[in-house]
Amino acid sequence: MALFHKHDKDDASSATPQKSGTMKRAASSKLAGGKASAPDARGAGKKDADKTVGAAGRKTAGEKADKVITRAARQAKEGAPSKAARRREHKEKLGKAGKYVLVAIGVAAMLLSVTAMACSGVLNQVSSGGEQYHLTGGVAAEVKGVNITEDTVTQQIMSTRQNGGYDTDAAWATYLDGQGLTPETLREQVIDSLARQYLLTQAVNEHEITVSDEEIDDELASQAEAYGMSADEYVSQMTSIGYTEDTLRQSVASSLEQQKLREEVAPLEDPTDQEIIDDVNGRLDTLNDARRSSHILIKVDADADEATKEEARQKLEDLRAQIEAGDISFEDAAKENSEDSSASDGGDVGWDKLTTFVTAYQDALSALQPGEMSGVVESDYGYHLILCTELFHVDGEVTSIDQIPDDLRTQISNSLASSAQSTAYSEWLDGYVEDAGVTINPMPEDVPYNVDMSLAGTEDTSSDSGDATADAATNEDSDAAAEGGAATNEETE
């Protein structure tokens, strides 16, 4: 499906002036090793406008976060760090910030890039991370009468280049080549993402979707709870990387609007029993012998002294004895004593074949039959008591829906429904973008991210082990933006 129409070089003159409840229990458990999928918080409000989508002026929330990360990296060591050290430091800091920020706000690095930031003029030079680069001006693309400026695209790409530490052309070319990209195709991806962000804002308006203050408050509280914070602590954490309370609320509002849009244009539909049976049979090698479990966790740091560890072990031994004696149920013991987020569910962390547990936990669980309880199990998180609550096993293949335990069936049903919704939504969005007609102008030769791709692999990067993944978060954000994008907050001139 052709989503874009490109101007030929001869037309260059015209260019100038993105779980469900499927894994709720397991995802909420820190033990699971998985990550709670806090909803994205993208975009920042919208206004009807036919303004130029500009590049100069206000920086995106993601860029502010990047500046915080970059500054912290410089302060981490005295003197000038090597490229490899900068990349490793960036990756470490990004991971820490991501725990509180990136997971919750998804592609917020694109948040205000689509904004009409410049009124009439465009800055010729900008500074990012202390390094200046040339801005060409001009229009990169047009969508439904709105221009996406070349400088908006440049700033987004240069943020990736500078934060990744790709200072030389050879390093940048090597990075692009490793991603299967060229400067031209990377530019097209960014334009596609920005166009989709803008169009999603228009679609929200067209469908007259609104979000109340109460819904925003509830979502902020939910995001805070996912990270074990109060709402005030969460807002404070977000403002520390460049948000204000107003822009954070706008961002959450945009995310909720787009969730409502998804539900309207691609509503969830429950799969049939036969579809569930077919899915299970198709994955039976993986799902067979799945175990559901509950646990009681007493947290102990890995570097704790032996007395602290012994105290935790003894507490669980005492609880185990009380449970075996019938003095207390495992569920109540978990609710009263477990220090895992699953405590409110009586310690239930779901099915092992639908998530990933730490090795020590999984090994102990695999040795249990339904109703059996483990001894004290040590893991990186501390000490556990584990109770196997259900086992799924079939000989041959599933022939009846009744062979699948209710909770497992529900999770698989939710997963299938979510997958079908995602497919339907993507098809709708592709069609919406195609109907809008995105026109891409030729890439100026002097954009600062343009590079001779024959330089790829010519620079020794042996000391930069792990660099291939140093920008994983950036790439994931870009992919997510392409799927859903952020909304546009356009200003009047």
Side-chain angles (χ1 to χ4, degrees):
M1 183 183 296
L3 299 183
F4 303 122
H5 166 70
K6 299 181 186 178
H7 281 311
D8 294 328
K9 286 284 187 180
D10 293 341
D11 297 330
S13 59
S14 65
T16 58
Q18 171 138 311
K19 259 182 183 194
S20 66
T22 306
M23 296 294 296
K24 179 179 179 182
R25 291 191 183 92
S28 68
S29 171
K30 296 177 182 177
L31 161 75
K35 302 175 180 64
S37 299
D40 293 346
R42 308 173 186 134
K46 65 244 179 252
K47 294 180 183 178
D48 290 332
D50 56 356
K51 307 298 180 184
T52 297
V53 180
R58 182 168 51 215
K59 295 190 183 298
T60 70
E63 289 173 321
K64 291 179 180 179
D66 288 338
K67 287 189 70 177
V68 172
I69 293 165
T70 304
R71 182 168 61 250
R74 287 200 207 97
Q75 294 172 345
K77 291 185 179 181
E78 295 181 0
S82 67
K83 286 184 293 180
R86 284 206 311 272
R87 293 175 196 174
R88 285 192 295 270
E89 186 70 19
H90 171 71
K91 184 177 179 182
E92 178 184 354
K93 293 292 183 181
L94 188 59
K96 291 179 180 178
K99 178 179 178 182
Y100 301 105
V101 181
L102 296 180
V103 174
I105 65 177
V107 291
M110 305 286 272
L111 177 62
L112 299 176
S113 293
V114 201
T115 305
M117 289 182 263
C119 292
S120 56
V122 177
L123 297 179
N124 292 321
Q125 296 284 336
V126 297
S127 176
S128 177
E131 299 180 40
Q132 292 187 332
Y133 52 80
H134 173 65
L135 290 175
T136 63
V139 175
E142 182 270 333
V143 53
K144 294 188 74 171
V146 173
N147 292 329
I148 298 175
T149 68
E150 199 68 62
D151 294 346
T152 297
V153 177
T154 294
Q155 286 180 311
Q156 188 63 48
I157 295 175
M158 288 303 292
S159 176
T160 297
R161 179 172 183 175
Q162 292 183 330
N163 289 330
Y166 304 110
D167 303 327
T168 67
D169 283 353
W172 178 236
T174 300
Y175 166 76
L176 291 176
D177 186 62
Q179 302 298 316
L181 296 169
T182 66
E184 292 82 3
T185 58
L186 176 57
R187 175 176 178 267
E188 288 182 10
Q189 285 187 3
V190 172
I191 290 171
D192 177 33
S193 185
L194 295 172
R196 286 171 182 252
Q197 292 170 56
Y198 172 74
L199 290 172
L200 282 171
T201 302
Q202 301 307 301
V204 165
N205 286 333
E206 291 170 8
H207 288 265
E208 298 181 346
I209 292 171
T210 59
V211 172
S212 69
D213 286 341
E214 184 179 1
E215 288 175 303
I216 295 172
D217 291 339
D218 289 345
E219 179 59 23
L220 283 171
S222 176
Q223 292 183 11
E225 183 180 2
Y227 298 106
M229 299 180 179
S230 68
D232 288 343
E233 289 172 336
Y234 181 71
V235 170
S236 176
Q237 181 70 38
M238 298 297 282
T239 56
S240 72
I241 57 92
Y243 274 94
T244 65
E245 186 169 355
D246 285 343
T247 57
L248 177 59
R249 291 181 67 85
Q250 289 172 349
S251 181
V252 171
S254 176
S255 173
L256 293 174
E257 288 167 349
Q258 291 179 36
Q259 289 176 25
K260 289 185 176 184
L261 175 65
R262 175 186 290 259
E263 292 164 3
E264 184 163 324
V265 301
L268 275 172
E269 296 182 2
D270 291 333
T272 65
D273 286 353
Q274 190 58 51
E275 286 173 329
I276 296 173
I277 291 171
D278 291 343
D279 180 73
V280 171
N281 283 331
R283 298 187 290 151
L284 198 55
D285 287 347
T286 299
L287 293 176
N288 215 6
D289 294 320
R291 284 170 167 79
R292 184 179 180 183
S293 64
S294 298
H295 80 131
I296 301 170
L297 169 67
I298 303 300
K299 294 180 180 178
V300 177
D301 291 337
D303 57 355
D305 58 41
E306 189 57 36
T308 301
K309 293 180 179 181
E310 179 57 31
E311 181 181 356
R313 286 192 292 262
Q314 189 57 53
K315 181 175 182 178
L316 288 178
E317 290 287 7
D318 292 344
L319 284 173
R320 190 175 193 280
Q322 293 175 43
I323 294 168
E324 289 183 329
D327 296 335
I328 189 172
S329 69
F330 192 99
E331 180 178 0
D332 288 342
K335 288 179 178 179
E336 295 173 14
N337 298 278
S338 182
E339 296 175 358
D340 184 59
S341 57
S342 64
S344 60
D345 292 322
D348 185 12
V349 291
W351 296 85
D352 58 354
K353 298 298 182 71
L354 297 181
T355 187
T356 302
F357 295 133
V358 293
T359 301
Y361 187 100
Q362 184 63 63
D363 288 347
L365 174 59
S366 296
L368 300 176
Q369 295 299 312
E372 292 182 348
M373 180 171 49
S374 72
V376 176
V377 176
E378 182 179 4
S379 79
D380 294 338
Y381 295 94
Y383 294 92
H384 314 256
L385 283 183
I386 303 169
L387 176 68
C388 178
T389 56
E390 288 187 79
L391 171 68
F392 169 64
H393 176 84
V394 293
D395 295 318
E397 64 178 22
V398 176
T399 57
S400 168
I401 195 70
D402 295 331
Q403 293 175 270
I404 307 171
D406 289 345
D407 186 74
L408 182 59
R409 183 193 316 168
T410 298
Q411 292 192 46
I412 292 171
S413 176
N414 289 343
S415 178
L416 290 174
S418 179
S419 178
Q421 182 189 45
S422 294
T423 298
Y425 179 73
S426 294
E427 291 174 351
W428 171 84
L429 182 57
D430 285 346
Y432 191 76
V433 173
E434 184 176 32
D435 291 343
V438 181
T439 301
I440 299 180
N441 295 317
M443 185 184 79
E445 293 184 0
D446 59 341
V447 289
Y449 56 86
N450 196 12
V451 69
D452 180 358
M453 291 300 293
S454 67
L455 295 173
T458 61
E459 183 175 89
D460 181 12
T461 58
S462 59
S463 63
D464 296 347
S465 59
D467 287 349
T469 59
D471 295 276
T474 301
N475 297 332
E476 288 168 4
D477 287 346
S478 298
D479 290 343
E483 292 176 5
T488 308
N489 175 30
E490 298 192 310
E491 299 172 343
T492 56
E493 292 186 336

